[in-house]
């Protein structure tokens, strides 16, 4: 078959013929003849390393071929040596490293690398031949056989997560990280110098042959701790040593103590030692911490620690004070305030002087000085010497009026204090002072004070009224009430408040416009619309005076009449009983007892046309006119009587009835119709 296909085959054959002719011509030029390789000039890796496992022979076997300049396998029988080129893992190349070439090919059947890594190369050399470098080779780890703690914590505070995180690697027999290992790894404390406890997640799975423990903590500080790592089927490992330091200052675990807890007030001769122990939250002692002390109260001499805390976490200072009181000593450690504080009692020193703490106040003559006078025994620093129980005697210093002290004197001190609660002076005067004395102590002198009049005497003070009799009025007729305030020694009392009171109703009582004057006098006025006897009493400074004043209030002038005894139902012609009485009253409704004029009664309303019989005009006695024989002769219902008197307003009685009397034989009649 001819055509296009035949022409192609013919063309190929022609080209092949030309190439072959060229090849033979080249061979002829170097003397080898047609088809004969030239001498070896270079090496090439004809079988590259492939999947390589650390420590295992490289398969397939590596081959290095000697080639001539044209790339032909040369008839080379020399020795070829291989060595590591790139060595990223620091591996060692093991096996037969020099092999004689056979027919130009050197075959290495037992080569191996012991360290995993990526990017290894092999280099083949032989004499003057150009060397060859293999392709990049990755060496993977072999099967895990042991553990290695590869991440060891730095010095870490107690209770804090160890940093950097602890790492445990699974290793093959050559120390390579066995990235295929995914089993669980457990860590525990190995060397435990302080009896610490390991917390956190202590068992974790390996990832790519590495187990990471980011949250491990140990609670006790100490040096030369170690960790052990274990996993099923693998050789365990122990870490290098590391230190757990004390954590941050704990305000509740750190302590402040004082010894002794009680000292005497001084300028430094009596001191208490303040001991601060710095601890973290787990009770670990903190060395090198800065401690600053503080104390409550005044008069303190507080010596700060001379340096930072020692290996036992301790720093000390001292406290003395001139002020006797309870002190609270606090501390800050590295600026953290310690919760606990130390209490120190500063006791007073020995008593050396007397001092008035409550000086005598101005008081009335013969009156107990109040508040009670108080004298304290004081030490050299002004503290109350509470241990002093000696007797204290009170005397007069300045005595302007020659007074005498009365009351309980001397008195014993209690807890260093002498209280004089019953003292008084009997003479009025200004500028008195008292002096306190006790054996072995400096005297105390009080502030100046005055003695004034004593307290109000209920028996010696007086109340009088002038005049003692007045007429009822709305204030036009008054009595002056005079009150004199005296003490028990008849001294007039100035400046006292007087309150008047009076018995009965209708009174107008004007209180004194101010307090008693220099003579002890205060006045008021009294009037009343109620005619009766009045009793005026007074209270001076809250003290009710024994004496009272009597005032008689008489009625005013008669102004009107009233029926004080009303007529009642009576038989015609019979005397009206009870007796009719008409009383004269003043404008305030009082019976005008001074009225003695004539009073006349007459029938007012007369329903029966009766006639009033009897004595119808009577003279009033003590303001009352009595009508004891009145009668009316005609029966009727609704009678009234009227009472009149010259110059007075009249009055009408209430209605009353006159009933028919007994049958009259003479006046009764009998008639017949028709």
């Amino acid at each position: 078959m001819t055509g296009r296909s035949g022409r192609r085959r013919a063309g190929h054959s022609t080209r092949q013929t030309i190439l072959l002719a060229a090849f033979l011509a080249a061979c002829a030029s170097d003397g080898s003849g047609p088809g004969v390789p030239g001498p070896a000039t270079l090496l090439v890796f004809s079988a590259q390393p492939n999947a390589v496992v650390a420590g295992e022979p490289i398969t397939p076997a590596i081959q290095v071929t000697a080639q001539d300049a044209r790339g032909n396998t040369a008839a080379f029988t020399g020795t070829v040596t291989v060595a590591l080129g790139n060595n990223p893992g620091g591996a060692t190349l093991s096996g037969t490293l020099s092999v004689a070439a056979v027919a130009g090919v050197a075959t290495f059947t037992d080569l191996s690398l012991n360290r995993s890594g990526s990017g290894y190369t092999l280099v083949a050399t032989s004499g003057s031949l150009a060397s060859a470098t293999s392709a990049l080779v990755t060496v993977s780890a072999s099967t895990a056989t042991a553990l290695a703690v590869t991440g060891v914590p730095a010095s870490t505070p107690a209770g804090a997560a160890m940093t950097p995180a602890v790492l445990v690697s699974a290793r093959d027999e050559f120390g390579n990280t066995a990235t295929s290992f995914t089993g669980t790894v457990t860590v525990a404390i190995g060397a435990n110098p302080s009896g610490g406890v390991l917390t956190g997640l202590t068992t974790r799975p390996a990832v790519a042959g590495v187990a990471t423990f980011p949250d491990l903590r140990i609670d006790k500080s100490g040096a030369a701790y170690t960790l052990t790592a274990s996993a099923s089927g693998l050789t365990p490992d122990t870490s290098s040593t590391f230190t757990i330091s004390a954590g941050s200052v704990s305000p509740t675990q750190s302590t402040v103590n004082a010894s002794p807890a009680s000292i005497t007030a001084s300028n430094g001769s009596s001191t208490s030692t303040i001991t601060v122990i710095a601890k973290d939250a787990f009770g670990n002692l903190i060395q090198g911490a800065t401690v600053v002390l503080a104390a409550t109260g005044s008069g303190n001499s507080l010596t700060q620690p001379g340096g930072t805390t020692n290996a036992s976490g301790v720093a000390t200072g001292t406290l003395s004070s001139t002020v006797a009181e309870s002190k609270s000593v606090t501390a800050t450690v590295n600026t953290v305030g310690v919760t606990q504080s130390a209490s120190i009692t500063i006791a007073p020193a020995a008593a050396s002087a007397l001092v008035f703490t409550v000086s005598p106040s101005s008081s009335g003559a013969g009156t107990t000085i109040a508040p009670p006078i108080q004298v304290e025994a004081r030490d050299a620093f002004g503290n109350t010497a509470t241990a002093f129980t000696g007797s204290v005697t009170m005397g007069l210093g300045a005595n302007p009026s020659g007074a005498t002290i009365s009351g309980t004197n001397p008195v014993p001190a209690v807890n260093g204090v002498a209280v004089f609660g019953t003292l008084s002076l009997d003479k009025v005067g200004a500028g008195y002072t008292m002096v306190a004395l006790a054996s072995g102590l400096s005297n105390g002198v009080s502030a100046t004070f005055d003695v004034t009049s004593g307290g109000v005497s209920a028996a010696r003070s007086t109340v009088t009224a002038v005049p003692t009799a007045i007429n009822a009025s709305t204030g036009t007729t008054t009595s002056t009430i005079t009150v004199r305030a005296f003490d028990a020694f008849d001294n007039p009392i100035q400046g006292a408040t007087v309150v008047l009171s009076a018995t009965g109703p209708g009174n107008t009582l004007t209180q004194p416009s101010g307090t008693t004057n220099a003579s002890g006098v205060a006045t008021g006025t009294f009037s009343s619309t109620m005619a009766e006897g009045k009793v005026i009493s007074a209270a001076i400074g809250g003290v009710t005076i024994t004496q009272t004043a009597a005032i008689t209030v008489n009625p005013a002038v008669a102004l009107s009449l009233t029926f004080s005894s009303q007529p009642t139902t009576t038989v015609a012609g019979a005397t009206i009983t009870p007796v009719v009485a008409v009383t004269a009253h003043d404008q305030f409704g009082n019976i005008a007892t001074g009225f003695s004029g004539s009073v006349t009664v007459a029938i007012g309303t007369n329903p029966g046309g009766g006639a009033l019989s009897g004595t119808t005009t009577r003279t009033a006695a003590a303001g009352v006119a009595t009508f004891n024989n009145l009668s009316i002769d005609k029966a009727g219902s609704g009678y009234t009587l009227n009472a009149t008197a010259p110059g007075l307003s009249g009055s009408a009685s209430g209605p009353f009835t006159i009933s028919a009397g007994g049958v009259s034989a003479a006046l009764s009649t009998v008639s017949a119709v028709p």
Side-chain angles (χ1 to χ4, degrees), residues 53 90 99 149 177 232 257 260 283 316 334 366 418 474 580 659 665:
V53 176
V99 174
V149 181
T177 299
S232 178
N257 292 290
T316 60
N334 287 347
T474 56
V580 174
S659 61

Side-chain angles (χ1 to χ4, degrees), residues 43 314 339 356 387 436 452 474 490 551 554 595 621 632 661:
L43 299 175
V314 173
T339 303
F356 279 83
T452 60
T474 56
D490 291 331
I551 299 176
N554 297 314
F595 177 72
I632 296 177

Side-chain angles (χ1 to χ4, degrees), residues 143-595:
T143 302
T145 60
L147 295 177
V149 181
T150 56
V152 179
S155 178
T156 301
M162 296 180 186
T163 54
V166 173
L167 302 177
V168 178
S169 298
R171 298 287 178 87
D172 63 13
E173 60 180 308
F174 305 105
N176 300 302
T177 299
T179 56
S180 62
F181 178 75
T182 58
T184 56
V185 178
T186 298
V187 293
I189 295 178
N192 194 346
S194 301
V197 175
L198 181 66
T199 58
L201 191 57
T202 57
T203 297
R204 290 185 177 269
V207 177
V210 178
T212 303
F213 298 86
D215 60 348
L216 297 183
R217 294 172 170 84
I218 294 178
D219 61 346
K220 297 296 181 183
S221 61
Y225 274 101
T226 62
L227 294 178
T228 61
S230 60
S232 178
L234 304 186
T235 302
D237 189 35
T238 298
S239 73
S240 59
T241 59
F242 59 93
T243 298
I244 297 297
S245 60
S248 300
V249 174
S250 168
T252 56
Q253 292 290 324
S254 299
T255 59
V256 182
N257 292 290
S259 180
S262 180
I263 59 176
T264 301
S266 71
N267 282 319
S269 58
S270 180
T271 62
S272 178
T273 299
I274 314 302
T275 301
V276 178
I277 302 177
K279 298 179 182 180
D280 65 12
F282 303 97
N284 298 301
L285 302 172
I286 301 174
Q287 183 177 7
T290 300
V291 175
V292 178
L293 301 175
T296 59
S298 57
N300 300 330
S301 178
L302 186 63
T303 303
Q304 298 293 334
T308 57
T309 53
N310 60 20
S312 298
V314 173
T316 60
T318 61
L319 173 74
S320 64
S321 182
T322 59
V323 177
E325 61 184 351
S326 292
K327 310 284 188 180
S328 178
V329 180
T330 56
T332 58
V333 182
N334 287 347
T335 72
V336 175
V338 178
T339 303
Q340 180 185 342
S341 61
S343 295
I344 302 176
T345 299
I346 312 297
S352 62
L354 294 176
V355 175
F356 279 83
T357 53
V358 179
S359 283
S361 299
S362 295
S363 60
T367 302
T368 299
I369 297 172
I373 300 166
Q374 291 189 14
V375 177
E376 285 188 1
R378 298 277 180 89
D379 66 10
F381 308 104
N383 301 301
T384 302
T386 54
F388 178 75
T389 57
S391 291
V392 179
T393 301
M394 192 65 67
L396 280 169
N399 191 351
S401 301
T404 300
I405 296 178
S406 298
T408 303
N409 187 23
V411 299
V414 177
N415 293 326
V417 179
V419 179
F420 296 83
T422 63
L423 300 186
S424 65
L425 298 183
D426 59 350
K427 300 294 184 182
V428 174
Y432 282 98
T433 62
M434 288 190 178
V435 178
L437 307 96
S439 177
L441 305 186
S442 300
N443 296 340
V445 179
S446 76
T448 59
F449 64 99
D450 301 333
V451 176
T452 60
S453 300
V456 175
S457 171
R460 294 183 178 275
S461 298
T462 62
V463 182
T464 58
V466 176
T468 57
I470 59 175
N471 292 332
S473 73
T474 56
T476 56
T477 302
T478 62
S479 178
T480 299
I481 312 301
T482 301
V483 178
R484 289 180 172 83
F486 296 100
D487 64 12
F489 305 97
D490 291 331
N491 297 306
I493 299 173
Q494 183 178 5
T497 299
V498 175
V499 178
L500 301 174
S501 59
T503 59
N507 302 329
T508 300
L509 188 61
T510 303
Q511 299 291 336
S513 59
T515 56
T516 54
N517 60 21
S519 299
V521 173
T523 60
T525 60
F526 175 79
S527 65
S528 183
T529 60
M530 177 61 70
E532 61 182 354
K534 305 287 186 176
V535 176
I536 309 299
S537 57
I540 305 174
V543 177
T544 301
I545 303 308
T546 304
Q547 181 187 341
T548 59
I551 299 176
T552 300
V553 180
N554 297 314
V557 176
L559 188 65
S560 62
L561 299 174
T562 61
F563 280 85
S564 52
S565 177
Q566 297 279 350
T568 60
T569 298
T570 305
V571 175
T575 299
I576 299 173
T577 58
V579 174
V580 174
V582 177
T583 300
H585 291 276
D586 65 11
Q587 62 178 322
F588 306 109
N590 300 303
I591 297 174
T593 55
F595 177 72

Side-chain angles (χ1 to χ4, degrees), residues 70-90:
R70 295 184 297 277
N72 301 303
T73 299
F76 177 73
T77 58
T79 299
V80 178
T81 299
V82 292
L84 278 170
N86 293 337
N87 191 354

Side-chain angles (χ1 to χ4, degrees), residues 33-187:
V36 179
T41 61
L42 76 160
L43 299 175
V44 295
F45 279 86
S46 52
Q48 297 279 358
N50 193 0
V52 178
V53 176
E56 296 182 9
I58 298 173
T59 56
I62 296 172
Q63 291 184 344
V64 177
T65 301
Q67 292 182 345
D68 62 12
R70 295 184 297 277
N72 301 303
T73 299
F76 177 73
T77 58
T79 299
V80 178
T81 299
V82 292
L84 278 170
N86 293 337
N87 191 354
T92 298
L93 180 64
S94 300
T96 304
L97 304 183
S98 296
V99 174
V102 177
V105 178
T107 301
F108 299 85
T109 60
D110 61 352
L111 295 182
S112 65
L113 292 172
N114 64 346
R115 302 296 295 170
S116 61
S118 178
Y120 283 101
T121 60
L122 297 178
V123 176
T125 59
S126 180
S128 62
L129 300 184
S131 62
T133 300
S134 72
L136 297 177
V137 178
T138 296
V139 179
S140 59
S142 182
T143 302
T145 60
L147 295 177
V149 181
T150 56
V152 179
S155 178
T156 301
M162 296 180 186
T163 54
V166 173
L167 302 177
V168 178
S169 298
R171 298 287 178 87
D172 63 13
E173 60 180 308
F174 305 105
N176 300 302
T177 299
T179 56
S180 62
F181 178 75
T182 58
T184 56
V185 178
T186 298
V187 293

